[in-house]
């Protein structure tokens, strides 16, 4: 039964059971609609507790219904009906009350939450605004400022914060059902609070709203839903309830049909499908209870931090004591940064470090389940590492390389158990970036591959399987993107115009600013390496700059100039002079032309990658671009955008 009713004396308990996340499909909406009628007509009932079975309270509207015509009872009507029920309802929240789920909770007269629960209105992350009074009731419940934060960021609030803002009435621990029933009994002894729709709301002045608009527009970088949500909230603060409701509903329906919402829904489901690809079949992942990282540089320390964040004990290996200390310092500075940003307490950061054993002796690894190598990108160096790992690790340990450009088959040569070897390509900073490219070799066993995917789940990462080629999926597309951007420069488009066009498209940075930040020398050295091994690699504009000592921000200039201590790029005369001979005059391109050219190049490379079997499906490529390379999420990725 999706909705069932039990009785505890004069309190009725309505249980919603609609796995996996109690989404508000038509059957559930109808079930709740009918329950209101049944319980209002039941003279033995004085109050109602609404509770959910399974992992969470109602997590929102059923997103799979969004492409279809809405079927009654509509959610806004259900929320009104709950609010108008003669018997007061108490929402008992565990897990997350999100979107329509929180709107249902706001239809209830009271909200009681477990201390581990959270509440939120994440609709803007799906390209829409709340469609069942979220923008209209929230300011009446918790004030305009809290409502603006909740609705325009889409980020849920933890129970304690929700309580302090008045979004919930009580936070409890232990047995939620018993606590909520007790809460309902006590509530009946006092006068009921007004239903939320009848509560007053005070609007801040016009200047405040303008400031919000500016801040949100800057953050949104082209995404429309957060600004439209702000409009709805302003309407709710300044106009009567019913006018604001009509405006919210119209905005919700309009945005639901928008391209941005379609793109965001597509990414939402792609993300959820990624950890469980069908081709893994019934291969069982190995249980990973301990991990080690070889190399304590930026990447190695980031990977170690990600493993510690997931609760795994970590062994960090470096080549000598000095390097061990440097590695530990890198790791500590990651956790210190987290403390500064309020993400970890001092005690938690200390516990993270306590779970790390560091040293230079590979014998430390004799009982480790998983080892990830993150040393210098040099085949000889990596092979030497794996030769030692092959000798010291347990025969059933999984051995992984974090290489970004080298052929994992060559790295694995000579390993006693090649079936246990796999590429796990993290993105820097590895404790932050969500993407994990998983690169099996032909010898990798299904069990090892399944373990790579399971590890991604443990680390909270989005796994995408990639075949072996130069740069795998992400860096191969990046190379093509940069090459196309250089082609535009050669044909006369100003460097700054190209960067501005890509920012206008939704990237945080354009291709040249990004290279200046990361350093032009890394890709240069790779090309030089390829040239040295006899490959025919054409001279790039970036090569000309590096040869002239312009490696990016770290050398005071790359594509742009930088004043000391200032990271803002200034068009560079030196760069213009160095490249002058390479540049001809081509047709003037609009920002849209530029973005179309560059994103089309990415999609073309994506199609080649699919044709070669390097990526298994277009959505994998889009996940790589969105989570590893800053492709605007609301555009869905290059493959989605190309249609
Ligand atoms: C909304 O409410 C609009 C209203 O304002 C107005 C309406 C008029 N629908 O994430 P998980 C599936 S907009 C359908 O791995 P977790 C998901 O695809 C909605 N399906 O679990 C997956 O399926 P499968 C606002 C959904 O425990 C399975 O559930 N709400 C929905 O890591 C498990 O998902 C949101 O945006 C859905 N709404 O996390 C909340 N949600 O097993 C979105 C999930 O077949 N959901 N599925 O792959 C979440 O944030 C997380 O799912 C949640 C649980 C935190 C709840």
């Amino acid at each position: 039964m999706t909705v069932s009713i039990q009785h505890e004396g004069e309190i009725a308990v309505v249980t919603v059971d609609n796995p996996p996340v109690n989404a508000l499909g038509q059957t559930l909406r109808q079930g709740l609609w009918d329950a209101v009628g049944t319980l209002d007509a039941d003279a033995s009932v004085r109050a109602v507790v609404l509770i959910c079975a399974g992992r969470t309270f109602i997590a929102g509207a059923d997103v799979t219904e969004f492409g279809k015509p809405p079927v009654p009872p509509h959610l806004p009507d259900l929320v009104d009906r709950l609010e108008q029920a003669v018997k007061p309802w108490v929402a008992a929240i565990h897990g997350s009350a999100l979107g329509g789920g929180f709107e249902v909770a706001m239809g209830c007269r009271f909200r009681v939450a477990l201390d581990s629960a959270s509440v939120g209105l994440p609709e803007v992350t799906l390209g829409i605004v709340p469609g069942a009074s979220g923008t209209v009731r929230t300011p009446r419940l918790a004030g305009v400022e809290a409502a603006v934060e909740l609705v325009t960021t889409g980020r849920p609030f933890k129970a304690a914060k929700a309580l302090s803002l008045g979004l919930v009435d009580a936070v409890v621990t232990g047995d939620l059902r018993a606590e909520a029933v007790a809460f309902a009994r006590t509530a009946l002894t006092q006068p009921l609070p007004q239903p939320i729709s009848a509560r007053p709301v005070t609007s801040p002045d016009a200047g405040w709203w303008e400031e919000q608009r500016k801040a949100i527009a800057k953050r949104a970088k082209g995404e429309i839903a957060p600004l439209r949500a702000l409009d709805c909230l302003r309407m709710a603060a300044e106009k009567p309830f019913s006018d604001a409701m009509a405006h919210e509903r119209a905005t919700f329906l309009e945005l639901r049909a928008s391209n941005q919402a379609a793109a965001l829904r597509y990414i939402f489901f792609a993300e959820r499908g990624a950890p469980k690809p069908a081709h893994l079949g019934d291969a069982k992942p190995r249980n990973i209870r301990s991990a080690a990282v070889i190399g304590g540089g930026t990447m190695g320390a980031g990977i170690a931090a990600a493993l510690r964040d997931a609760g795994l004990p970590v062994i960090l290996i470096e080549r000598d004591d000095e390097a061990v200390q440097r590695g530990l310092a890198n790791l500590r500075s990651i956790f210190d940064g987290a403390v500064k940003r309020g993400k970890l307490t001092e005690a938690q950061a200390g516990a993270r470090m306590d779970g790390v054993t560091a040293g230079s002796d590979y014998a430390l690894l004799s009982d480790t389940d998983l080892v990830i190598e993150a040393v210098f990108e040099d085949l000889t160096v990596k092979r030497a590492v794996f030769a030692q790992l092959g000798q010291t690790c347990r025969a059933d340990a999984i051995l992984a390389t974090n290489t970004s450009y080298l052929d994992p088959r060559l790295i694995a040569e000579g390993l006693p158990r090649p079936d246990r070897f796999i590429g796990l390509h993290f993105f820097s900073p590895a404790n932050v970036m969500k993407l994990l490219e998983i690169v099996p070799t032909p010898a990798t066993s299904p069990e090892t591959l399944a373990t790579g995917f399971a590890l991604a789940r443990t680390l909270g990462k989005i796994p995408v399987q990639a075949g072996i080629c130069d740069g795998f999926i992400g860096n191969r597309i990046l190379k093509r993107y940069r090459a196309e951007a250089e082609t535009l420069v050669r044909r006369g488009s100003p460097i700054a115009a190209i960067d501005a066009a890509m920012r206008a498209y939704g990237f945080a940075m354009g291709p040249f600013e990004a290279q200046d930040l990361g350093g032009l020398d890394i890709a240069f050295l790779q090309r030089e390496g390829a040239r040295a091994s006899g490959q025919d690699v054409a001279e790039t504009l970036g090569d000309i700059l590096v040869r002239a000592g312009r490696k990016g921000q770290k050398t005071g200039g790359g594509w742009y100039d930088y004043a000391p201590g200032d990271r803002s790029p200034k068009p560079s005369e030196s760069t213009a002079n160095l490249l002058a001979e390479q540049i001809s005059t081509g047709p003037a391109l609009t920002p849209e032309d530029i973005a179309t050219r560059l994103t089309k190049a990415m999609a073309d490379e994506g199609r080649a990658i699919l044709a070669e079997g390097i990526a298994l499906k277009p959505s994998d490529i889009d996940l790589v671009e969105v989570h590893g390379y800053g492709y605007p999420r609301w555009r869905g990725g290059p493959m989605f955008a190309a249609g």
Side-chain angles (χ1 to χ4, degrees), residues 20-21 23 55-56 59-64 66 75-76 96 98-100 103 122-123 126 128-132 249 252 268-269 272 276:
V21 294
R55 66 173 103 166
T56 179
D62 185 342
V63 179
T64 59
F66 278 9
L75 196 54
S96 319
L98 296 178
E103 292 171 319
E123 282 84 346
L126 290 165
I128 54 177
V129 296
R249 186 73 182 164
F252 167 77
F268 176 89
F269 285 114
R272 275 159 184 81
K276 36 196 170 189

Side-chain angles (χ1 to χ4, degrees), residues 481 484-486 488-489 492-505 507 510-512 587-602:
Y481 171 57
E484 189 68 11
E486 286 202 2
L488 297 186
V489 173
S493 291
I495 292 164
I498 296 172
D499 280 338
M502 297 320 286
R503 267 186 271 111
Y505 184 80
F507 281 87
F512 300 111
L589 298 180
T590 64
E592 291 75 27
D593 293 338
I594 292 172
T596 304
R597 283 286 298 266
L598 295 191
T599 53
K600 181 176 175 304
M602 295 167 101

Side-chain angles (χ1 to χ4, degrees), residues 108-173:
C108 297
R109 201 58 69 104
F110 300 99
R111 286 145 298 283
V112 173
L114 267 190
D115 58 349
S116 54
S118 44
V119 304
L121 292 164
E123 282 84 346
V124 295
T125 65
L126 290 165
I128 54 177
V129 296
S133 83
T135 67
V136 190
R137 281 194 171 87
T138 313
R140 286 173 164 75
L141 178 61
V144 169
E145 286 186 23
V148 166
E149 185 185 343
L150 194 70
V151 176
T152 65
T153 66
R155 276 196 297 273
F157 291 169
K158 295 259 169 61
K161 181 170 180 184
L163 179 67
S164 71
L165 294 169
L167 290 162
V168 300
D169 302 290
V171 173
V172 299
T173 51

Side-chain angles (χ1 to χ4, degrees), residues 244-604:
M245 283 299 293
H247 180 77
E248 181 195 77
R249 186 73 182 164
T251 308
F252 167 77
L253 290 174
E254 180 198 330
L255 291 189
R256 200 179 69 159
S258 68
N259 290 339
Q260 292 199 5
L264 288 163
R265 275 201 299 279
Y266 160 82
I267 291 292
F268 176 89
F269 285 114
E271 284 169 348
R272 275 159 184 81
K276 36 196 170 189
H279 71 274
L280 286 184
D282 50 13
K284 288 266 167 307
R286 292 187 64 80
N287 200 0
I288 301 293
R289 290 148 309 168
S290 62
V293 179
I294 315 296
T298 308
M299 195 46 128
I303 296 171
L307 293 163
R308 285 299 299 129
D309 287 344
L312 288 166
V314 170
I315 299 170
L316 182 66
I317 297 283
E318 260 293 1
R319 44 179 199 284
D320 54 37
D321 286 348
E322 210 186 308
V324 168
Q325 292 312 321
R326 257 202 316 273
L328 282 173
N330 287 341
L331 193 48
R332 196 169 299 115
S333 78
I334 292 175
F335 295 134
D336 286 349
V339 171
K340 273 199 201 98
R341 287 192 310 279
K343 302 258 181 223
L344 289 181
T345 63
E346 291 278 359
Q348 286 168 326
R352 294 285 204 282
M353 286 307 291
D354 289 346
V356 180
T357 310
S360 54
D361 186 353
Y362 278 64
L364 288 169
L365 305 177
S366 59
D367 193 30
T368 304
D369 294 331
L370 163 77
V371 182
I372 303 171
E373 164 277 313
V375 303
F376 191 61
E377 281 286 276
D378 178 290
L379 188 56
T380 320
V381 178
K382 290 198 190 270
R383 274 195 174 152
V385 167
F386 280 95
Q388 295 201 59
L389 294 177
Q391 279 167 16
T392 39
C393 291
R394 275 196 338 252
D396 65 348
I398 307 257
L399 304 183
T401 175
N402 176 55
T403 187
S404 2
Y405 282 99
L406 298 173
D407 185 335
R409 288 168 299 199
L410 301 181
I411 298 174
E413 254 175 29
L415 269 182
R417 292 287 304 269
D419 58 312
R420 295 270 179 236
F421 176 88
I422 193 161
L424 293 178
H425 182 210
F426 290 80
F427 289 71
S428 192
N431 56 316
V432 175
M433 297 291 282
K434 286 264 174 236
L435 179 62
L436 181 65
E437 275 183 329
I438 298 189
V439 191
T441 72
T444 300
S445 70
E447 189 190 38
T448 303
L449 183 59
T451 309
F453 278 90
L455 178 75
R457 263 199 302 278
T458 307
L459 301 184
K461 306 249 177 252
I462 305 215
V464 170
Q465 186 168 327
I468 297 172
C469 67
D470 187 18
F472 310 130
I473 298 174
N475 282 338
R476 178 164 156 184
I477 293 179
L478 179 66
K479 201 165 166 183
R480 174 76 176 264
Y481 171 57
R482 288 181 172 170
E484 189 68 11
E486 286 202 2
T487 302
L488 297 186
V489 173
R490 286 178 194 274
R491 292 188 193 153
S493 291
I495 292 164
I498 296 172
D499 280 338
M502 297 320 286
R503 267 186 271 111
Y505 184 80
F507 281 87
M509 273 187 209
F512 300 111
E513 311 168 300
Q515 286 179 67
D516 273 359
L517 180 66
L520 277 67
D521 47 333
I522 305 164
F524 169 79
L525 288 175
Q526 266 153 27
R527 288 189 292 271
E528 286 290 272
R531 286 170 190 133
S533 71
Q535 290 177 46
D536 182 16
V537 180
E539 184 84 344
T540 68
L541 300 183
D543 292 341
I544 297 174
L545 297 181
V546 174
R547 287 189 210 289
R550 299 185 63 87
K551 297 181 187 170
Q553 286 189 18
K554 61 185 171 189
T555 59
W559 294 96
Y560 297 92
D561 287 340
Y562 299 86
D566 183 359
R567 282 161 168 264
S568 52
K570 311 269 181 315
S572 165
E573 228 176 276
S574 313
T575 295
N577 291 336
L578 283 165
L579 303 184
E581 268 183 35
Q582 313 292 324
I583 293 175
S584 57
T585 350
L589 298 180
T590 64
E592 291 75 27
D593 293 338
I594 292 172
T596 304
R597 283 286 298 266
L598 295 191
T599 53
K600 181 176 175 304
M602 295 167 101
D604 286 347

